[in-house]
Amino acid sequence: MSAPVYATAHSVAALLPKLQDADSDHRFMSLNDLFNILSSASHTILSHDYGTANRTVDGILKTLDDQNGEVQNLAVKWYSCGLSLFSIAHQYAELTHLICLSLTPLVVKLPPSILPPLIEKLSNLTIQNSVDRSISSTALRTVVTSLPRPVPSTPNSKAVDESYSAISRVLIPRLVGHAVMPSSVKNAPKPPPGLLQLDRDEAVEPDAVDVLVEVARCFGPMLDGREVAALTGVVTNIFNDPTPSTVVKKRAVVALSALAHHFSDDLLSSYVSTLIEGLRSSHLTPAKRRLLINITGALARSIPDTFGPYLKTLTPFVLSAVSEAELTDQLQSLAEDGDADPEADEVREAALIALESFLACCSSEMRFYTAETIDAALLFLRYDPNVTVDDSDSDMGGVHDPDDFEMDDDVEQDTGMSDDDDSSWKVRRCAAKLIYTLIATRANGDLLENGTLYDKVAPVLLERFKEREENVRLEIMATTGLLIRKTGENAAAKHLTRFDESDTVGHLSQSRKRRRGSSDSSMVEGDSPAPPPTVTALRRASPPLYGPQASLAQLIPSIVDLLIQLAKLNSPGTRLALIMLLKDIVAVQPGGLTADMPQVIELVADSIKASGTMSTGATLATTVGGAGSATGNNIRLEALKLAAAITESHPSQVLQPFLEKLMPGISLAARDRYYKIASEAIHIVELFVKVLTPHEPQSQKSAPQHLLEGLYDIILERTHATNADGEVRQQAVRALGTLLARTSASRSTPYFSKDQRTAALEVLAECLKNETTRMTAIRAAGDVASHASAEIDLSSEWVHQVSLELASQLRKSNRSVRIISLATLRSLVLNAAGKTRNFDAHAKKTLIDSLTPLLTANDVALLGPTLVILGSLMQSGGGKIVDDALVQAICSLTFASIAGAALDALLLLARRMAEAGEGQPLMHALLKDVGVNGDTNVVGKLIGTLLVSGGPTLGVKMEDFVAELQEAQDDQRRCLALAVLGETGLRMGSASTLEPKLFMAHFKSKLDQVPLSAAVALGRAGAGDPAKYLPVILKELGGKGSSRYLLLHSIKEMLQRTGDAQTDLSPFARRIWDKLVQTSRAEDCRAVGAECLGRLTMVDPSQFIASLQDSLKDKDPSVRGVVIQAIRYALADSSDVLDDSLQPVIIEMLTTMLADGDLENARLALTTLISAVHNKPYLIVPNLGKLVPAVMTQSVIKPELVREVEMGPFMHKIDDGLELRKSAYETLFALMETAFSRLNAVEFFDRVMAGLEDEHDIRVLCNLMLTKLVVLEPDETRRRLDQIAAQFRAILSVKLKESAVKQEVEKAEEANKSVLRVTCLLNDAFPAAAAGGGVWGANGGAGAGAGAGARSTAAGASGQQHKEWRHYWEWARRDFGGPLKEVQEERVFMRHE
């Protein structure tokens, strides 16, 4: 290679003459050298050498027409360098197109003055040695895309202005054929005929239209109104003239959708008027009608916000093309003439696609035409002119009879067209897609609730399962699946239940309905944990009684029968689709296939056994829910998932008779080499174990022993298989744990022999030592330990071995391993069969030594289980096991503010130590080493617990602390003494000799901490003996003075202990209520008084709910505010009595609260609604429609609440409604997490968009909402990308003043980071929106139907729809590259975590 050493203009000039050498080898080498120079040179290499630049342009243009193929090939390489985006996204198959796509390296290095001549030469370029006439247009398009372009909200640079000047002066006149803008040059020559003019000798090329598209896309914001009008006019001329080809007109539709973004209101209105006139024309041909309808659909996709209002006028014209009257006329004409009109079907296809676009992009405007749209879609879903249709079949009122199911393959009538020429299947497919879009956009609202979708649409969908074209059939099945899933989303919010009845074999977790006062420490109060739940089904749901769920339940038998018939077809695509549809049914209606179980199991068993690779021509990625291509492995995998879903959702007694049928296929799949199939099969084996081992004793006798033996062999074989994939072995270990847990020897007839169980336990113990299976094995061991119920279930040797292995894992740095090891170890020490009697003194010492380092307040997740395990070990006795290290570790905990379950477990451990006679070292350390230096509350409770449980062995008595309280001068010592005495009084109960006056005497202490400590201590002591303390407290509460606030804290402390048996406040409930209502009127007592009222409501809901409801109507806003807060506290209770009392009145109460005119009360009402949504969704969500409008209203900025106040020389605006709006958005956030399917997505997005313009805190919350909406509503999120881009750009463009304080700078940085974080998330979720493109090469050929044109138009419109987002993403990457990179790295790190 002879490339010069230095890349200079002189080196380039030296090579240019060689490009014309007669020897093709010399030309090739010279061009190669020139390529190397310009590829490595800076952009300024030719910017100051006009002559060399001009000659370089001429030389390169000539090489495009070189007769030598190798030179052309090298030109391709030379031009393609630096244009990776276009060469990947828009690469043509033909060589000449690739050449033209590669002009970027030259364009970016030319001086600005060369650009207009270059465009002129390219537009007049004539190729002699190529048959492709589109080279010049393709080259022009590449030049336009390579030039610097404007960025929204950013001042145009000089390079951008110069680029637009060249486009405006040269290219646009060259496109339209005349000068558009006034020229400063006198007597300027007239432009040659335009590339898009129709009166030229040559026909308009499609690639010339593509040049216009790129001009609009790249320089649209800079185009003058006259230029937009001129370009629109030339496109309109193409539409109106019959000579341009179909492909040209399709590209022209794309061009119009690109220009539409820059239409003025007048131009858009004028163009819509033109469309209306064309559609009304009496001389309208089918081809012209199809074109006009395609244009309306493209405009709806391109500019939905501005074009939407015109749909009220335009939609009737589109609907008329798919009306029943027009179809009847056509069929009559067909019967008379015998010749079918293929253009009629193309018009209908275009109309259905346009209606789909209207629904997807302008759903609000299309509500008026819902009925007509449904009628049209259903009419043409059944449209098949080649098939005879009986009048009885056209009745849409009933469900198709499966007995009459027959594929329409050979029922052709004499209609003048054969099946090969029939294009009606495209119409039916578009009709199915239209219904799909209708369900997707309207199923969250009225159409599902009022029965339209099930009464009118569903029967026709089922009828068309007999569709003979597979593409159409798959679309219909996908649409039916969407309807079922939408029913499930609606029901998930509407039919929320109070209980989670899942029968899993995991660790015993705290129920959501945890009683107040319960804690993790309750696990060691008895000899064993609570027994496993006694339910038959793995997951059960009550049958729906009304609404869409009931309608679906009625259709399920018909759907299943039809799917069974479809399974007889030899179609892999249909087989995969029907499996996916059955999965949707099972997911939405657990137990819904019970009546059809024999047929379904037969289908599943047959699909699981299927092997080999099959393919289908259907686009299953979209029609079968994204399940992928219909290969044999995919069908087997989805069939296995369906079997798992059925097993999880149906009762055991229903499934057991059919397991024999499934076992051969499952056994074969469990040994499959494909790890996904094997893993899913073993998961089903685990579920089969649960089915065969139900908890009900009456069902145990029906479990076939040979099936369990077979499952046992499969699990042990796959657990031992060292050549199996890691995921398969982990699943096998999980199944082994389930098998051992569910086959306890407590049964009269054991499931397995002792030797079999011992062998399985040894395998599990070995898996604990394997790095790849350790985590799963630890969880499995926890399952076995928590469910073992007989002595022979767990041998002492196995418990000892596993416990020591788990203890060694506690020293690992992996926190996840430590957490699950602790959970399993807790199950071992708490279970009756594996009780601590299996631990000898050495083992206990080893365990305590391993657990002691975990006694730190830095990790509460580890602290709670550790304290529970130590408490259980302490209870077992067996010698002295408390050492100095354990005492010091416990003392170290007192320096942190421990609360909740961890504190309860710590107190229980102290009690166990005192009862075992080993509490004296801890008491001594607490008094000597900790004292008042620790947390007074924690230390006081520990000492009080030791005093009551340890007795005289501690060397300290309660009287010592009474004396300390009376004699100490140090306030800290008095607070500690109060805490000790309060805990002592609580635990001694009625045996306590402490009097209320002892505590109340310190209410008037000068230090605020002492009176509050006295009040809390009084409440704790009173909780131990209410009969003694409450009369005194209530008497004092009726008086006047500052002590009322403290006494309320005492009552609150007592109410917090109402879950304890000794704290029975019901005899005093009414007296307490009256005193609280009276006292809470005082301003300083409202907050604590409201909490007390709420907690007291939990004691007797039937009595006090009505009182709260009456008080909501009080004229005093302060009283209403207290009541609203009280209701919020009461909602935290999970008792059934409270739920039953609230159910009839909760909606009325919330409605009254939300309508309160007081701003503070309205804010409190919103927080109460949030509490209700989180704690009582089953009471709130079914009636959400009555509450959401008030929340939406409160999220709007109210100008009347914004006032100006004078602050020195400045006027400052204060928004009194800001806090109320914050609460409204917090409520919307809570509703989104709990019941988004019940909300109107469009209205919800409107509020989010408005919130992005609000104050900082609301913007942050709206950003969080967007992160969830990406998952919950991806389609609407994608449609709003341009709006989001505008809002985000405005936030990032805010510039702080130089005088900004630190807090303002930090707030701005936080806002920017929040925006950039969401930006990255949206870009990851919708990468095509930022990449753009999809226009070139997306169009069909000349023979394509209307659908191809409309779809390609949709691609072009989609590229334009996200234009603002693409510009925003480019701007963010350029101007915020550093922060954006940090956010992206943070996201990657979080994903790895």
Side-chain angles (χ1 to χ4, degrees):
M1 192 170 93
S2 58
V5 178
Y6 299 106
T8 62
H10 178 73
S11 303
V12 173
L15 288 172
L16 293 179
K18 300 179 182 179
L19 295 179
Q20 311 302 323
D21 196 282
D23 190 336
S24 61
D25 290 339
H26 289 179
R27 298 199 304 274
F28 178 88
M29 294 301 298
S30 301
L31 189 59
N32 185 60
D33 292 342
L34 189 59
F35 161 76
N36 290 327
I37 292 175
L38 293 180
S39 296
S40 60
S42 67
H43 284 204
T44 60
I45 184 173
L46 299 176
S47 59
H48 303 295
D49 194 335
Y50 181 90
T52 302
N54 197 23
R55 285 185 284 120
T56 303
V57 168
D58 294 337
I60 298 302
L61 290 180
K62 288 181 180 180
T63 60
L64 291 174
D65 198 27
D66 198 288
Q67 295 180 358
N68 185 275
E70 291 185 357
V71 177
Q72 276 196 343
N73 287 334
L74 183 58
V76 172
K77 175 185 176 184
W78 188 85
Y79 284 121
S80 62
C81 177
L83 196 61
S84 59
L85 178 61
F86 277 88
S87 62
I88 292 174
H90 308 303
Q91 191 175 34
Y92 278 80
E94 293 85 357
L95 176 63
T96 52
H97 286 171
L98 286 172
I99 297 173
C100 295
L101 280 173
S102 310
L103 281 168
T104 299
L106 178 62
V107 172
V108 296
K109 294 178 173 63
L110 291 176
S113 57
I114 297 294
L115 187 56
L118 171 61
I119 295 176
E120 183 69 29
K121 291 176 182 178
L122 282 174
S123 64
N124 294 306
L125 180 65
T126 301
I127 302 297
Q128 302 295 333
N129 298 314
S130 175
V131 296
D132 189 352
R133 297 188 301 168
S134 66
I135 291 180
S136 61
S137 297
T138 307
L140 281 172
R141 190 176 72 235
T142 305
V143 169
V144 173
T145 58
S146 305
L147 294 172
R149 66 186 69 178
V151 177
S153 303
T154 302
N156 295 330
S157 64
K158 182 179 179 181
V160 172
D161 290 335
E162 290 171 343
S163 299
Y164 168 67
S165 176
I167 296 293
S168 179
R169 289 190 293 111
V170 180
L171 185 54
I172 293 179
R174 189 67 182 86
L175 289 173
V176 301
H178 61 86
V180 178
M181 303 298 293
S183 175
S184 58
V185 180
K186 294 183 179 180
N187 300 322
K190 184 180 179 181
L195 296 175
L196 299 179
Q197 278 188 296
L198 301 175
D199 53 357
R200 297 194 312 157
D201 295 335
E202 298 179 355
V204 176
E205 292 293 329
D207 292 274
V209 184
D210 293 342
V211 176
L212 191 156
V213 173
E214 289 301 337
V215 169
R217 190 176 69 85
C218 298
F219 292 93
M222 300 182 71
L223 292 177
D224 188 88
R226 288 166 289 184
E227 293 173 325
V228 174
L231 293 173
T232 304
V234 75
V235 171
T236 304
N237 291 337
I238 294 176
F239 293 151
N240 295 331
D241 195 281
T243 56
S245 66
T246 304
V247 176
V248 171
K249 291 190 176 183
K250 291 173 185 175
R251 302 280 182 93
V253 173
V254 177
L256 183 68
S257 65
L259 286 169
H261 285 275
H262 314 291
F263 279 7
S264 64
D265 293 341
D266 293 339
L267 182 57
L268 178 60
S269 177
S270 173
Y271 196 84
V272 170
S273 299
T274 303
L275 284 177
I276 295 173
E277 291 176 4
L279 290 168
R280 283 177 176 168
S281 174
S282 58
H283 304 289
L284 186 64
T285 64
K288 183 62 178 296
R289 187 182 192 186
R290 182 187 71 232
L291 178 62
L292 294 177
I293 291 174
N294 281 340
I295 292 172
T296 60
L299 291 176
R301 290 186 292 269
S302 179
I303 49 173
D305 294 333
T306 55
F307 188 71
Y310 295 100
L311 288 183
K312 185 175 182 180
T313 306
L314 288 170
T315 303
F317 294 105
V318 180
L319 287 170
S320 66
V322 287
S323 65
E324 187 173 6
E326 187 165 318
L327 176 61
T328 303
D329 293 341
Q330 186 232 342
L331 293 177
Q332 290 177 354
S333 175
L334 180 63
E336 296 172 359
D337 301 338
D339 295 328
D341 182 9
E343 289 189 337
D345 282 346
E346 293 182 358
V347 172
R348 296 185 183 107
E349 186 182 358
L352 291 171
I353 292 174
L355 289 173
E356 181 187 355
S357 301
F358 296 168
L359 285 175
C361 302
C362 310
S363 56
S364 299
E365 290 81 358
M366 283 297 292
R367 284 181 175 269
F368 183 77
Y369 297 103
T370 299
E372 293 87 343
T373 303
I374 293 175
D375 291 341
L378 297 180
L379 175 66
F380 286 95
L381 187 65
R382 308 172 68 174
Y383 170 68
D384 197 346
N386 271 14
V387 175
T388 302
V389 180
D390 296 334
D391 294 338
S392 59
D393 291 339
S394 63
D395 181 12
M396 298 182 186
V399 179
H400 181 72
D401 187 357
D403 295 335
D404 298 332
F405 185 89
E406 182 180 1
M407 300 305 295
D408 299 333
D409 288 331
D410 303 316
V411 195
E412 182 179 337
Q413 62 179 348
D414 186 13
T415 58
M417 85 169 56
S418 66
D419 281 345
D420 294 336
D421 298 330
D422 180 24
S423 61
S424 63
W425 66 270
K426 297 179 182 179
V427 178
R428 296 194 298 277
R429 184 180 62 180
C430 290
K433 290 182 177 181
L434 175 58
I435 298 175
Y436 188 99
T437 304
L438 178 74
I439 296 172
T441 55
R442 295 289 302 278
N444 289 354
D446 54 326
L447 293 185
L448 193 61
E449 291 295 330
N450 63 18
T452 300
L453 293 179
Y454 273 103
D455 297 340
K456 194 171 184 179
V457 176
V460 183
L461 288 174
L462 298 190
E463 176 190 332
R464 293 309 303 169
F465 273 31
K466 64 181 180 179
E467 170 64 49
R468 55 197 173 91
E469 288 287 341
E470 185 171 46
N471 283 340
V472 184
R473 185 166 62 246
L474 293 178
E475 286 288 354
I476 293 171
M477 296 174 73
T479 303
T480 307
L482 177 65
L483 176 59
I484 294 173
R485 291 193 299 275
K486 287 293 184 180
T487 303
E489 292 175 6
N490 185 278
K494 187 171 183 178
H495 298 289
L496 288 170
T497 58
R498 303 179 188 177
F499 302 96
D500 180 12
E501 295 182 341
S502 59
D503 180 19
T504 59
V505 193
H507 293 293
L508 295 176
S509 59
Q510 292 291 312
S511 170
R512 188 187 63 79
K513 295 182 65 62
R514 188 164 72 95
R515 293 290 301 176
R516 56 184 178 275
S518 66
S519 70
D520 205 11
S521 62
S522 63
M523 294 293 292
V524 296
E525 289 290 353
D527 293 334
S528 65
T534 57
V535 293
T536 301
L538 300 181
R539 187 183 66 201
R540 180 184 300 169
S542 301
L545 301 178
Y546 62 92
Q549 283 279 74
S551 300
L552 175 60
Q554 294 174 1
L555 287 181
I556 285 178
S558 298
I559 296 176
V560 173
D561 289 339
L562 291 170
L563 294 180
I564 296 300
Q565 294 291 332
L566 285 175
K568 299 176 182 178
L569 300 176
N570 187 20
S571 169
T574 300
R575 174 64 66 101
L576 183 59
L578 67 88
I579 290 174
M580 302 294 290
L581 193 55
L582 286 172
K583 281 176 58 182
D584 290 335
I585 293 175
V586 173
V588 172
Q589 287 221 336
L593 297 180
T594 300
D596 305 286
M597 194 60 68
Q599 301 96 311
V600 174
I601 292 298
E602 183 74 28
L603 168 64
V604 173
D606 183 60
S607 300
I608 290 174
K609 293 178 184 178
S611 61
T613 302
M614 299 171 285
S615 62
T616 178
T619 56
L620 294 177
T622 56
T623 59
V624 197
S629 58
T631 62
N633 278 341
N634 274 348
I635 292 177
R636 293 181 69 195
L637 183 60
E638 293 302 326
L640 288 169
K641 292 179 179 179
L642 172 59
I646 292 173
T647 308
E648 288 179 311
S649 60
H650 288 73
S652 299
Q653 62 266 29
V654 173
L655 293 167
Q656 284 188 9
F658 303 101
L659 298 189
E660 191 87 43
K661 184 72 175 177
L662 291 173
M663 275 297 294
I666 298 298
S667 177
L668 185 64
R671 298 174 173 89
D672 198 274
R673 296 177 61 185
Y674 184 35
Y675 75 97
K676 288 187 177 181
I677 289 180
S679 178
E680 190 64 37
I682 297 173
H683 173 57
I684 297 176
V685 168
E686 178 185 2
L687 296 176
F688 281 5
V689 170
K690 296 181 182 181
V691 172
L692 293 171
T693 57
H695 289 297
E696 289 84 346
Q698 63 270 22
S699 301
Q700 294 178 358
K701 61 183 180 181
S702 62
Q705 186 66 28
H706 70 282
L707 288 181
L708 272 176
E709 296 282 354
L711 298 176
Y712 177 92
D713 294 339
I714 293 173
I715 292 173
L716 255 65
E717 176 188 340
R718 301 311 291 165
T719 305
H720 276 300
T722 56
N723 60 342
D725 185 85
E727 182 178 332
V728 176
R729 291 196 66 193
Q730 290 172 10
Q731 187 65 56
V733 172
R734 189 179 300 113
L736 179 61
T738 301
L739 179 70
L740 291 170
R742 299 291 288 240
T743 56
S744 170
S746 60
R747 190 170 179 262
S748 58
T749 304
Y751 289 105
F752 301 114
S753 66
K754 182 178 180 180
D755 292 341
Q756 286 177 311
R757 187 172 183 85
T758 301
L761 287 171
E762 289 177 355
V763 171
L764 184 57
E766 287 299 319
C767 291
L768 286 171
K769 302 175 183 178
N770 190 306
E771 188 70 30
T772 59
T773 59
R774 177 174 294 141
M775 296 265 301
T776 308
I778 293 174
R779 293 189 176 95
D783 294 340
V784 176
S786 60
H787 286 74
S789 55
E791 290 189 9
I792 63 173
D793 284 345
L794 301 175
S795 65
S796 298
E797 294 78 10
W798 189 84
V799 172
H800 185 273
Q801 178 186 2
V802 171
S803 299
L804 293 182
E805 179 65 30
L806 293 174
S808 67
Q809 300 303 320
L810 297 178
R811 294 189 289 269
K812 297 292 180 66
S813 59
N814 189 323
R815 183 173 179 270
S816 299
V817 172
R818 285 185 289 162
I819 289 177
I820 63 172
S821 298
L822 273 176
T824 301
L825 191 57
R826 183 180 66 176
S827 299
L828 280 172
V829 302
L830 294 182
N831 190 274
K835 199 61 178 169
T836 50
R837 55 176 172 74
N838 291 324
F839 298 108
D840 55 27
H842 174 71
K844 287 185 179 180
K845 181 64 176 174
T846 303
L847 288 175
I848 291 177
D849 290 343
S850 300
L851 291 167
T852 300
L854 301 180
L855 293 177
T856 171
N858 295 333
D859 195 335
V860 180
L862 297 175
L863 177 60
T866 302
L867 291 169
V868 171
I869 296 170
L870 288 172
S872 181
L873 292 173
M874 203 68 61
Q875 187 181 16
S876 64
K880 183 177 181 180
I881 56 178
V882 176
D883 55 14
D884 292 341
L886 179 59
V887 171
Q888 291 302 318
I890 295 175
C891 289
S892 67
L893 295 175
T894 61
F895 293 95
S897 298
I898 302 175
L903 178 57
D904 292 340
L906 177 60
L907 297 179
L908 189 57
L909 173 60
R911 193 184 97 190
R912 298 298 189 207
M913 293 173 63
E915 291 174 346
E918 299 189 43
Q920 199 277 335
L922 179 58
M923 175 66 82
H924 179 75
L926 289 172
L927 294 175
K928 181 179 178 182
D929 300 334
V930 180
V932 297
N933 296 320
D935 185 281
T936 302
N937 183 47
V938 177
V939 177
K941 290 182 177 181
L942 274 174
I943 295 175
T945 302
L946 291 172
L947 277 176
V948 176
S949 303
T953 61
L954 300 176
V956 182
K957 299 181 294 183
M958 181 182 69
E959 289 74 10
D960 297 333
F961 290 95
V962 174
E964 178 78 8
L965 176 62
Q966 295 174 345
E967 298 173 2
Q969 301 299 319
D970 183 7
D971 289 331
Q972 294 293 333
R973 298 172 68 87
R974 282 191 289 168
C975 289
L976 179 58
L978 286 167
V980 171
L981 294 175
E983 188 69 21
T984 303
L986 171 66
R987 295 188 175 273
M988 292 184 67
S990 58
S992 173
T993 59
L994 298 174
E995 296 293 333
K997 293 183 179 180
L998 177 67
F999 302 97
M1000 297 170 65
H1002 296 273
F1003 278 6
K1004 297 183 179 180
S1005 176
K1006 295 181 179 179
L1007 185 67
D1008 291 342
Q1009 188 177 358
V1010 173
L1012 189 58
S1013 298
V1016 173
L1018 175 64
R1020 292 189 70 81
D1025 190 3
K1028 178 180 179 180
Y1029 280 77
L1030 261 178
V1032 177
I1033 293 176
L1034 293 177
K1035 180 181 178 180
E1036 292 294 327
L1037 192 62
K1040 297 181 179 180
S1042 58
S1043 62
R1044 292 186 300 173
Y1045 174 78
L1046 298 172
L1047 291 170
L1048 286 176
H1049 277 279
S1050 301
I1051 293 178
K1052 183 183 78 170
E1053 193 69 28
M1054 297 178 70
L1055 290 169
Q1056 288 175 338
R1057 307 295 305 185
T1058 52
D1060 300 341
Q1062 62 187 7
T1063 309
D1064 183 13
L1065 303 182
S1066 55
F1068 305 93
R1070 175 48 66 179
R1071 292 177 57 192
I1072 298 175
W1073 181 271
D1074 295 337
K1075 292 292 184 181
L1076 289 175
V1077 171
Q1078 179 183 355
T1079 307
S1080 298
R1081 292 178 178 272
E1083 185 175 357
D1084 58 338
C1085 298
R1086 289 174 188 170
V1088 65
E1091 183 176 356
C1092 291
L1093 285 170
R1095 294 186 180 277
L1096 185 58
T1097 302
M1098 304 176 194
V1099 176
D1100 190 359
S1102 59
Q1103 178 183 178
F1104 296 125
I1105 289 294
S1107 300
L1108 289 174
Q1109 188 176 14
D1110 294 338
S1111 299
L1112 282 175
K1113 302 174 184 177
D1114 196 289
K1115 295 182 180 180
D1116 188 350
S1118 62
V1119 174
R1120 299 197 303 270
V1122 170
V1123 173
I1124 293 172
Q1125 293 183 76
I1127 295 173
R1128 184 185 67 192
Y1129 286 112
L1131 289 170
D1133 187 38
S1134 55
S1135 68
D1136 294 336
V1137 178
L1138 178 64
D1139 291 350
D1140 294 338
S1141 301
L1142 279 175
Q1143 188 169 9
V1145 299
I1146 183 64
I1147 301 301
E1148 181 182 350
M1149 294 174 70
L1150 287 170
T1151 304
T1152 303
M1153 285 187 272
L1154 292 171
D1156 199 303
D1158 185 81
L1159 289 180
E1160 179 61 18
N1161 287 351
R1163 187 189 67 81
L1164 293 173
L1166 290 170
T1167 61
T1168 303
L1169 177 57
I1170 294 174
S1171 178
V1173 169
H1174 283 307
N1175 296 292
K1176 313 287 182 185
Y1178 42 85
L1179 299 180
I1180 302 302
V1181 174
N1183 299 284
L1184 208 54
K1186 300 177 182 179
L1187 304 174
V1188 171
V1191 180
M1192 294 286 190
T1193 302
Q1194 300 291 20
S1195 67
V1196 178
I1197 297 177
K1198 297 180 176 60
E1200 63 272 16
L1201 297 180
V1202 180
R1203 53 191 174 89
E1204 287 189 349
V1205 296
E1206 187 175 349
M1207 299 182 65
F1210 305 103
M1211 298 299 293
H1212 184 66
K1213 287 187 177 181
I1214 296 180
D1215 189 350
D1216 294 328
L1218 177 59
E1219 294 301 322
L1220 181 61
R1221 289 202 308 282
K1222 287 182 184 178
S1223 298
Y1225 275 99
E1226 290 169 358
T1227 307
L1228 292 176
F1229 185 80
L1231 292 173
M1232 179 181 65
E1233 291 186 311
T1234 307
F1236 183 75
S1237 62
R1238 302 283 296 176
L1239 303 175
N1240 185 302
V1242 176
E1243 294 178 359
F1244 191 91
F1245 253 102
D1246 289 341
R1247 297 318 312 150
V1248 174
M1249 293 296 101
L1252 290 175
E1253 298 178 348
D1254 214 315
E1255 295 294 328
H1256 171 77
D1257 294 339
I1258 296 178
R1259 290 202 306 267
V1260 171
L1261 194 57
C1262 288
N1263 284 333
L1264 289 176
M1265 291 184 186
L1266 284 175
T1267 62
K1268 294 184 178 295
L1269 288 170
V1270 171
V1271 179
L1272 294 174
E1273 191 63 39
D1275 293 336
E1276 185 66 18
T1277 305
R1278 184 186 295 107
R1279 193 173 76 82
R1280 301 273 187 156
L1281 282 177
D1282 286 351
Q1283 281 184 268
I1284 296 172
Q1287 304 285 15
F1288 281 3
R1289 186 188 294 273
I1291 296 172
L1292 294 176
S1293 299
V1294 172
K1295 303 297 182 182
L1296 295 178
K1297 298 179 180 179
E1298 295 182 359
S1299 58
V1301 297
K1302 180 180 179 182
Q1303 290 82 354
E1304 293 176 331
V1305 174
E1306 292 176 349
K1307 183 180 289 188
E1309 291 176 351
E1310 179 187 353
N1312 289 353
K1313 190 171 184 179
S1314 176
V1315 166
L1316 293 175
R1317 190 178 292 114
V1318 181
T1319 299
C1320 289
L1321 177 65
L1322 292 172
N1323 183 65
D1324 292 345
F1326 311 110
V1335 180
W1336 317 121
N1339 304 303
R1351 292 297 174 192
S1352 66
T1353 302
S1358 177
Q1360 289 297 316
Q1361 184 178 359
H1362 301 137
K1363 180 179 179 180
E1364 295 298 327
W1365 174 259
R1366 287 198 301 276
H1367 289 166
Y1368 163 73
W1369 174 247
E1370 295 171 359
W1371 173 74
R1373 286 199 304 172
R1374 185 184 68 248
D1375 291 7
F1376 295 88
L1380 196 62
K1381 184 178 179 181
E1382 292 179 5
V1383 170
Q1384 290 172 327
E1385 292 174 350
E1386 177 185 313
R1387 284 173 48 78
V1388 172
F1389 175 78
M1390 293 300 295
R1391 265 198 297 267
H1392 288 314
E1393 285 292 309

